Amino acid sequence: MAQIGYGEANGKVILIGEHAVTFGQPAIAIPFTTGKVKVTIKSLSKDDASYINSDVYEGPLQQAPEHIKAVTTRFVEKHHIEDSINVTFETNLPPSRGLGSSAAMAIAFVRASYDYINKPLTDELLIEEANWAEQIAHGKPSGIDTQTIVSNKPVWFHQGKVTTLNPLALKGYMVVIDTGVRGSTKKAVEDVHNLCDHNEQYMRFIEHIGNLVYEANEAIERHDFNQLAHVFELAQDNLRKLTVSHDNIEALLEISKTQGATAGKLTGGGRGGSMIVLAQNLEIAEKVATSAEKFGAHHTWIENLGG
């Protein structure tokens, strides 16, 4: 009988604090529960070659993309897996959209691997293993993605330290929109740092975003949807001035507001990627999602804010 291991993980969304967090300011990230990665590991006979099934690659393990090959090979060698294996990745999380796709993939794989060998897996070990996998994909990850996804709660991230926050309990909905434009977080971060190195005015935008993170946290603690929406508007204005917005993001914000949305902002690196829009009820959220897709957005998801 084939040996099987299964694991899954959801994504994450930066609620507020992107870019400013790279200057030592705080940021808040929340779980993105409708975006998921599911991983299944199944044993094959020793005569078969290990095989990968995924959206980005299907074929023998030895020819797989480096980040998939590295984590799979490490698992096989570390745990002395003698049988060949078939690893299947299923996901509705697009890569390079700031939604935690690579961290979710790493966490789901680690969970599947420990399920496969029938060994217990603590959160600490899961984070350690997933961060190793993230280094293959991203070089030096901040750790905010893995911490948010593993805790499955909002987190406060400040200068490398993570604090778990209470779950959101706001009356309203958040529409997550994949603009369809592939952003480059690395380039956007480099450009923002270059602006700040040469002009003090840009550092004031960074500091303002940092202050807004505290205001957002206050709004969450008070269950104040409208205050959070106001903070979103101010944060987006600062991100716009830091040159990390995009024509599609701005157009989608305007379209969303004509459908009744309260506020919205980019999430992640910007210059495309993803954005989040606040809606007071499900009817408005559905109108926002439909209009975004008609405009050309690749994906939309609706999250209940817990209230």
Side-chain angles (χ1 to χ4, degrees):
M1 182 181 291
Q3 190 172 345
I4 295 177
Y6 176 79
E8 65 178 54
N10 53 241
K12 76 90 183 60
V13 168
I14 300 287
L15 192 71
I16 188 167
E18 47 274 280
H19 286 286
V21 73
T22 69
F23 290 85
Q25 297 289 344
I28 297 173
I30 61 173
F32 176 34
T33 57
T34 49
K36 285 201 180 289
V37 176
K38 300 175 182 179
V39 175
T40 304
I41 303 174
K42 188 175 182 179
S43 64
L44 302 171
S45 71
K46 290 186 178 67
D47 296 334
D48 294 326
S50 290
Y51 201 83
I52 303 294
N53 295 93
S54 74
D55 288 348
V56 296
Y57 172 79
E58 184 170 337
L61 170 62
Q62 291 307 311
Q63 279 79 55
E66 182 56 34
H67 66 287
I68 293 176
K69 181 181 176 181
V71 294
T72 306
T73 302
R74 183 173 188 255
F75 162 63
V76 169
E77 293 175 352
K78 181 177 179 179
H79 297 287
H80 309 290
I81 307 300
E82 294 183 359
D83 290 335
S84 296
I85 55 174
N86 183 299
V87 184
T88 300
F89 295 88
E90 299 174 87
T91 182
N92 66 346
L93 275 173
S96 302
R97 299 295 196 275
L99 300 176
S101 172
S102 63
M105 188 171 287
I107 290 165
F109 179 85
V110 174
R111 284 173 171 160
S113 66
Y114 275 77
D115 185 48
Y116 183 90
I117 60 177
N118 196 27
K119 284 190 176 181
L121 178 64
T122 64
D123 283 354
E124 290 76 18
L125 180 57
L126 174 56
I127 289 169
E128 180 185 325
E129 292 276 343
N131 278 339
W132 183 91
E134 272 276 79
Q135 286 174 13
I136 302 298
H138 285 307
K140 291 184 178 180
S142 67
I144 191 170
D145 286 16
T146 52
Q147 292 278 358
T148 307
I149 294 168
V150 170
S151 71
N152 214 27
K153 293 179 180 177
V155 300
W156 178 275
F157 187 82
H158 192 201
Q159 296 181 347
K161 295 181 179 179
V162 176
T163 306
T164 302
L165 303 174
N166 290 327
L168 295 185
L170 294 164
K171 288 185 178 178
Y173 291 81
M174 180 176 71
V175 185
V176 180
I177 301 171
D178 168 10
T179 66
V181 179
R182 193 181 182 100
S184 172
T185 297
K186 182 180 179 183
K187 180 69 166 64
V189 168
E190 287 175 353
D191 288 350
V192 169
H193 275 260
N194 189 48
L195 287 172
C196 292
D197 286 345
H198 293 90
N199 190 326
E200 281 187 16
Q201 179 62 47
Y202 291 102
M203 271 308 299
R204 285 196 275 274
F205 303 146
I206 292 291
E207 290 161 3
H208 191 198
I209 292 173
N211 291 334
L212 289 171
V213 177
Y214 289 94
E215 290 185 30
N217 190 47
E218 182 182 288
I220 292 167
E221 289 179 350
R222 293 171 53 189
H223 314 298
D224 192 332
F225 175 89
N226 288 327
Q227 183 184 350
L228 181 63
H230 179 62
V231 169
F232 266 35
E233 293 287 272
L234 296 175
Q236 176 61 22
D237 185 53
N238 281 276
L239 291 164
R240 190 180 292 124
K241 290 171 181 174
L242 288 167
T243 76
V244 292
S245 192
H246 186 277
D247 288 347
N248 282 29
I249 292 173
E250 297 299 331
L252 284 162
L253 284 173
E254 288 303 313
I255 290 168
S256 297
K257 287 174 184 176
T258 65
Q259 300 301 318
T262 311
K265 60 180 285 294
L266 65 85
T267 179
R271 303 255 176 96
S274 299
M275 55 188 288
I276 47 181
V277 174
L278 297 179
Q280 289 184 315
N281 57 54
L282 183 57
E283 182 183 1
I284 292 172
E286 289 173 342
K287 286 181 179 179
V288 168
T290 299
S291 63
E293 289 172 5
K294 284 181 179 176
F295 177 79
H298 281 198
H299 304 275
T300 60
W301 303 264
I302 297 174
E303 295 262 294
N304 189 316
L305 292 174

